[in-house]
Amino acid sequence: MWEEEAWELLEKSITYYQGQPIGTVAAQDPEVQALNYDQCFIRDFVPSALVFLMHGRTEIVRNFLVETLAMQSHDKGMDCFAPGLGLMPASFKVKHDGTREYIEADFGESAIARVPPVDSCLWWILLLRAYVKATGDVALAHQADFQTGIKLILDLCLVHRFSMYPTLPVLDGAFMIDRRMGVGGHPLEIQVLFYAALRTAKELLLPQDGGHFYLQSITQRLGALKYHIREYYWLDLQRVNEIYRFKNDEFGKEVANKFNIHPESIPAWLTEWLPDNGGYLAGNLGPGHMDFRFFALGNLMAILVSPASSEESQSIMNLFEERTADLMGFMPLKICFPAVEGVEWRIITGSDPKNFPWSYHNGGNWPVILWLFAAAAQKTGRQALAQKAIALAETRLIEDKFPEYYDGKQGRLIGKESRLYQTWTIAGLLTAKEIMNNPKHIDLFSFEEEVESPGYRL
Ligand code: GLC
């Protein structure tokens, strides 16, 4: 049984601090130089944490939450610059110096290209909620240090700088796609995680000690954010028709083309590719800029945490069904579609060979996303789609030694620089299986659609 082997590998990936399990390392490939893959990444730990919670192994998740919270306050930036206090590290590693054991965290100051891990604090807060849901131990989240931790995260996310939109502006490579890929600005993945983090904070934050001020801003921001995502990111044939006939350079408040999107920027592939019954949320949106690429993680998360309506969620699942060859291929799932090629690749990625067309982040296939697909399929009642995807993945993954990612238009090649025995590939498959066996598990991570708060008016 592959499950047994997968569990053994997962077990072996656990990293210990002072004798206690506190996380899992990213990969255990014996043949490739570890670089930072011997670290515990916050985002990578998510599927491991979920499958541990589903199996009653709650201690490791608790330890992880406590230890990472202790890392939150730091002064490690670049060139003596200290970033905001709420930042959570991208990854950490347990080290020994002969006499003592200590944890070294990386907030981006050691990461390739010094990318800030914006998503870490958002995933962290979601994991806290999953832990509370699985154990009923709300007391942990109510502890003073946890309340402060949540507020620090909110301080970072809710601060008003020069933004005009309710979305969160970030640099390129600030999340799972942690290299230059033209995903700076207001990428969908961060907006959906931000939305989910706000909903979590609303559940877990106590009104005392200034908490009610935060709760007020959360309510306001949630309404505006949901409206913004639904109204402006959504794409289906009808919407593309509207954009196609947009007027440009409109001035004033009541205009149709608020972001001044030029119809000429609609890519040639899109109109042919969109099925009649399918739609999705665009990858990014800003002034004169709509990224029409399809990003799987942001769209699946949008189904799970509900900035997408139930109708939109069905349309996204229809898209997966109608465009299986492109979005699943031989190994589910494609991280983003389509790849950028030629001059576009040179300009957008800075000629990054790792992100060559149809490789790695640039149109590669990432089996870890399978757990999100299974959860989204459960939530939308489209289980058959997930069963098919899991069946496709399971035999191949075990034969291929759980690679990090696959390359090629349809994901037929093991990724060129892919690590083997990648922990989140293993945990993602196990989590997907568990979710299919017990639909209740999606409660750990999903939100129902929010009823509009009375304080919010358009
Ligand atoms: C790569 C991925 C990133 C992941 C890390 C560790 O850098 O892009 O998302 O967290 O590997 O697996």
Side-chain angles (χ1 to χ4, degrees):
M1 276 308 273
W2 68 261
E3 274 99 336
E4 245 169 70
E5 186 182 335
W7 267 106
E8 259 169 50
L9 290 164
L10 186 60
E11 212 67 59
K12 262 178 47 197
S13 76
I14 296 178
T15 182
Y16 291 82
Y17 178 57
Q18 294 175 346
Q20 299 300 318
I22 61 162
T24 50
V25 296
Q28 309 173 81
D29 189 336
E31 276 154 38
V32 185
Q33 198 199 349
L35 288 176
N36 52 353
Y37 282 84
D38 59 355
Q39 310 230 350
C40 173
F41 281 74
I42 306 253
R43 73 174 76 86
D44 290 43
F45 185 59
V46 173
S48 303
L50 290 177
V51 79
F52 285 136
L53 290 176
M54 290 168 190
H55 277 248
R57 305 265 301 269
T58 57
E59 205 48 27
I60 179 167
V61 183
R62 189 181 211 278
N63 295 338
F64 168 88
L65 290 165
V66 170
E67 291 303 336
T68 43
L69 179 68
M71 295 172 210
Q72 191 187 30
S73 294
H74 64 92
D75 55 4
K76 289 207 268 173
M78 215 182 143
D79 305 329
C80 299
F81 172 73
L85 280 182
L87 198 69
M88 283 282 181
S91 61
F92 64 86
K93 188 176 175 180
V94 180
K95 292 193 155 181
H96 308 260
D97 69 0
T99 50
R100 76 193 170 102
E101 211 178 26
Y102 62 97
I103 296 178
E104 197 169 271
D106 174 30
F107 292 85
E109 79 280 8
S110 303
I112 295 166
R114 307 294 183 257
V115 279
V118 178
D119 63 338
S120 286
C121 61
L122 308 173
W123 284 118
W124 181 87
I125 209 169
L126 290 178
L127 274 186
L128 176 59
R129 175 175 180 265
Y131 167 81
V132 169
K133 287 222 152 205
T135 58
D137 180 13
V138 72
L140 182 74
H142 287 172
Q143 268 177 213
D145 52 346
F146 272 77
Q147 291 287 304
T148 307
I150 296 172
K151 284 177 189 156
L152 286 176
I153 293 173
L154 291 171
D155 286 342
L156 265 188
C157 297
L158 295 175
V159 68
H160 289 284
R161 287 231 164 81
F162 298 105
S163 291
M164 193 48 58
Y165 324 138
T167 37
L168 203 63
V170 299
L171 291 174
D172 213 344
F175 49 99
M176 176 181 178
I177 295 177
D178 56 357
R179 295 167 86 91
R180 192 171 149 194
M181 253 291 284
V183 288
H186 303 86
L188 177 69
E189 181 170 326
I190 287 291
Q191 310 319 321
V192 175
L193 286 174
F194 178 36
Y195 178 84
L198 289 179
R199 288 198 63 179
T200 304
K202 198 172 166 182
E203 281 179 15
L204 298 180
L205 206 60
L206 296 167
Q208 49 264 42
D209 299 324
H212 65 285
F213 290 120
Y214 287 90
L215 289 165
Q216 261 169 11
S217 335
I218 290 173
T219 306
Q220 265 173 0
R221 190 67 171 260
L222 272 174
L225 185 60
K226 186 169 86 180
Y227 177 82
H228 191 94
I229 296 175
R230 280 197 187 169
E231 190 69 16
Y232 307 121
Y233 281 66
W234 184 251
L235 283 173
D236 55 15
L237 213 49
Q238 189 194 331
R239 182 67 179 155
V240 175
N241 264 295
E242 283 163 25
I243 298 175
Y244 183 63
R245 292 169 62 83
F246 264 167
K247 291 193 180 45
N248 283 108
D249 300 339
E250 296 173 300
F251 175 78
K253 292 209 168 68
E254 303 303 319
V255 303
N257 186 4
K258 292 209 171 62
F259 297 87
N260 201 29
I261 306 297
H262 296 280
E264 292 75 9
S265 69
I266 299 175
W269 59 267
L270 181 68
T271 38
E272 314 307 321
W273 189 70
L274 260 178
D276 285 344
N277 62 349
Y280 64 98
L281 294 159
N284 209 331
L285 183 68
H289 173 220
M290 184 165 227
D291 185 342
F292 292 92
R293 282 176 291 174
F294 173 83
F295 289 84
L297 201 155
N299 273 283
L300 293 170
M301 230 10 221
I303 294 178
L304 268 184
V305 303
S306 287
S309 67
S310 42
E311 229 185 353
E312 288 165 351
S313 300
Q314 290 299 335
S315 296
I316 297 170
M317 295 309 283
N318 289 344
L319 187 69
F320 277 108
E321 184 157 27
E322 300 292 324
R323 295 292 173 262
T324 310
D326 293 327
L327 301 182
M328 307 268 194
F330 289 84
M331 177 51 70
L333 281 80
K334 185 69 78 193
I335 190 169
C336 93
F337 179 88
V340 286
E341 306 189 56
V343 176
E344 230 190 334
W345 164 75
R346 271 209 271 146
I347 296 172
I348 287 181
T349 72
S351 303
D352 183 353
K354 196 163 179 184
N355 274 333
F356 205 69
W358 306 106
S359 182
Y360 201 46
H361 302 137
N362 187 12
N365 290 34
W366 289 67
V368 59
I369 309 174
L370 205 54
W371 80 263
L372 277 154
F373 188 69
Q378 274 292 10
K379 190 164 181 210
T380 50
R382 308 288 288 268
Q383 289 84 350
L385 284 178
Q387 299 290 16
K388 228 165 85 185
I390 292 174
L392 203 63
E394 57 188 359
T395 32
R396 230 189 123 184
L397 283 182
I398 191 100
E399 274 166 26
D400 295 351
K401 308 192 177 106
F402 297 102
E404 179 185 15
Y405 67 96
Y406 286 76
D407 284 352
K409 270 196 176 158
Q410 300 207 355
R412 296 199 93 169
L413 305 165
I414 296 177
K416 199 172 193 139
E417 293 187 41
S418 180
R419 295 294 188 285
L420 300 181
Y421 302 114
Q422 182 82 13
T423 306
W424 68 0
T425 301
I426 301 164
L429 181 62
L430 286 170
T431 307
K433 272 285 213 195
E434 296 289 344
I435 288 170
M436 295 321 289
N437 292 340
N438 182 356
K440 281 294 289 168
H441 284 321
I442 67 164
D443 294 349
L444 294 179
F445 231 74
S446 72
F447 289 89
E448 286 313 313
E449 253 195 82
E450 206 187 27
V451 186
E452 226 55 79
S453 67
Y456 179 68
R457 302 256 180 286
L458 270 182

